[in-house]
Amino acid sequence: MDATNFPPLKNDRVLRAARGEPVDCVPVWIMRQAGRYLPEFGEFRKEHEFFEICQTPEYACEVTLQPIKRFDLDASIIFSDILVIPQAMGMEVKMEPGKGPTFPCPLVTSKDLDKLVFDPEEIADHLQYVYDAITLTRHKLEGKVPLIGFAGAPWTLMSYMIEGEDQKRSPKPKSGSTQIQRAVKAGAQLLQMFESHAGVLNEYLFTKFALPYLNKIANGVKYLLNENKLDPAPMIVFAKDGHYAIPLLKDSPYDVVSLDWTLDPVKCRDLLPGKTLQGNLDPCALYSSKEDLEALTKSMISKFGKTGYICNLGHGIYPDMDPEHVKWFIDCVHNC
């Protein structure tokens, strides 16, 4: 399908919020919004393996659209996984039921790196199924909401790929920039970088092993988009459990900083002037009664303010969540 002539966008709240522009109401989307808590996803998974869905554009598109059909969300996020990049580099990754992702042959010594693919274009070519899924989904959305693309940050990918703590080489930032730029070319309108394992670092280690590469990727993406005359795509960074990292992101090239549920929005506003913030309801709050959930949601939004803010959870939604509580949460956000 042609990655041009996309349907006109009808709801640009999340894009406006990412740019710090006024919105008529707070936009909301949910990390892992296409996933196991949805009965329709469970039925689909009975017939298809996890990575089969990721690697089949029609399947990834169908699953991506499931929460959009059910809820009044302000953005969609392509169904994929951050570990498709290690797969494209030549590693085997399995999704084990009840266990999650596993690497049958992790990196153990530096010699194992010789088995990997590091060429950015070759990796991106291997991931063409992701870009095809993005293009197809962008058309199938019919302009209802923007489409988010995402990737895992180098430190997080490395921590999955190795065994032991003595390896310091990670997927190259240039490779990340190439892959994400191709996602925009395919139709993604926002981009999120997941630094999911920031919590195992301290400020010094984050500054040495994570932040420089996060920034290189964002700068590289913006450069490539400009060089290829593609529309700018706001970029979101999520350093989960990295409370120490918030001040360090003040001067980063990211437009939006996503906060986990342990962080105080008021303090983060002071630490990140000029940045749009995203987050940060505790996912467990969705287990609450509807009355308590509404109160928690209103309290959170009052702390963030309604400008320069994208509502989300402080991490991914849990697989046993009641979809009715998800709907209530979304409606509460829009009614604030």
Side-chain angles (χ1 to χ4, degrees), residues 153-198:
W155 165 260
T156 292
L157 295 182
M158 180 189 73
S159 64
Y160 275 110
M161 292 165 69
I162 67 172
E163 182 176 84
E165 300 178 353
D166 58 338
Q167 305 296 330
K168 297 182 175 63
R169 185 175 177 183
S170 62
K172 293 183 179 180
K174 181 180 178 183
S175 176
S177 299
T178 301
Q179 295 147 24
I180 298 170
Q181 181 265 154
R182 283 210 193 180
V184 176
K185 188 175 181 180
Q189 293 152 287
L190 293 92
L191 303 163
Q192 178 153 317
M193 291 298 298
F194 284 89
E195 191 65 280
S196 303
H197 291 175

Side-chain angles (χ1 to χ4, degrees), residues 20-318:
E21 299 172 1
V23 291
D24 60 329
C25 68
V26 173
V28 56
W29 68 279
I30 296 171
M31 283 183 264
R32 294 183 188 154
Q33 65 188 30
R36 290 177 290 171
Y37 74 102
L38 291 176
E40 52 268 42
F41 179 81
E43 289 300 311
F44 198 80
R45 276 284 277 119
K46 289 178 182 178
E47 303 295 328
H48 306 287
E49 296 293 329
F50 179 84
F51 282 116
E52 178 192 2
I53 299 173
C54 294
Q55 295 166 3
T56 308
E58 293 78 12
Y59 295 168
C61 174
E62 181 174 343
V63 171
T64 299
L65 294 176
Q66 287 177 345
I68 303 303
K69 294 175 181 177
R70 181 184 274 261
F71 305 121
D72 186 22
L73 290 157
D74 293 295
S76 58
I77 182 166
I78 194 67
F79 186 84
S80 187
D81 194 271
I82 64 172
L83 299 182
V84 298
I85 292 179
Q87 287 178 329
M89 297 177 72
M91 297 192 74
E92 182 182 6
V93 185
K94 294 183 177 181
M95 193 64 69
E96 301 287 352
K99 186 178 180 180
T102 61
F103 286 71
C105 298
L107 303 180
V108 180
T109 73
S110 59
K111 292 182 179 179
D112 292 329
L113 295 170
D114 297 335
K115 305 173 186 177
L116 301 183
V117 175
F118 282 97
D119 179 71
E121 295 297 333
E122 187 174 347
I123 294 171
D125 288 344
H126 183 92
L127 295 172
Q128 186 59 47
Y129 62 84
V130 176
Y131 315 131
D132 291 342
I134 288 172
T135 300
L136 177 62
T137 304
R138 178 79 184 274
H139 282 284
K140 293 291 186 179
L141 280 167
E142 299 178 337
K144 185 174 182 179
V145 292
L147 178 60
I148 301 171
F150 69 92
W155 165 260
T156 292
L157 295 182
M158 180 189 73
S159 64
Y160 275 110
M161 292 165 69
I162 67 172
E163 182 176 84
E165 300 178 353
D166 58 338
Q167 305 296 330
K168 297 182 175 63
R169 185 175 177 183
S170 62
K172 293 183 179 180
K174 181 180 178 183
S175 176
S177 299
T178 301
Q179 295 147 24
I180 298 170
Q181 181 265 154
R182 283 210 193 180
V184 176
K185 188 175 181 180
Q189 293 152 287
L190 293 92
L191 303 163
Q192 178 153 317
M193 291 298 298
F194 284 89
E195 191 65 280
S196 303
H197 291 175
V200 302
L201 302 173
N202 58 25
E203 182 175 340
Y204 169 76
L205 293 174
F206 184 83
T207 303
K208 187 174 180 64
F209 294 118
L211 185 61
Y213 307 107
L214 282 168
N215 288 346
K216 284 182 181 180
I217 287 172
N219 285 325
V221 168
K222 291 175 187 253
Y223 172 80
L224 288 171
L225 293 181
N226 183 63
E227 282 290 296
N228 289 281
K229 296 181 172 55
L230 296 170
D231 291 337
M235 296 192 68
I236 308 166
V237 61
F238 180 42
K240 182 179 178 291
D241 297 327
H243 58 89
Y244 58 83
I246 298 302
L248 303 176
L249 296 171
K250 174 184 176 182
D251 298 318
S252 76
Y254 289 89
D255 308 283
V256 182
V257 177
S258 196
L259 309 179
D260 67 42
W261 70 93
T262 67
L263 293 165
D264 182 346
V266 176
K267 292 180 180 177
C268 290
R269 278 283 184 214
D270 292 337
L271 292 170
L272 297 166
K275 297 286 189 188
T276 288
L277 301 183
Q278 177 176 275
N280 72 333
L281 190 72
D282 185 341
C284 289
L286 293 176
Y287 291 122
S288 305
S289 67
K290 289 185 176 180
E291 292 76 13
D292 287 345
L293 177 56
E294 181 175 4
L296 290 166
T297 301
K298 288 181 176 179
S299 174
M300 174 185 65
I301 292 175
S302 71
K303 293 176 182 177
F304 276 103
K306 296 184 180 181
T307 302
Y309 174 49
I310 300 169
C311 188
N312 207 314
L313 303 182
H315 190 38
I317 190 169
Y318 296 132

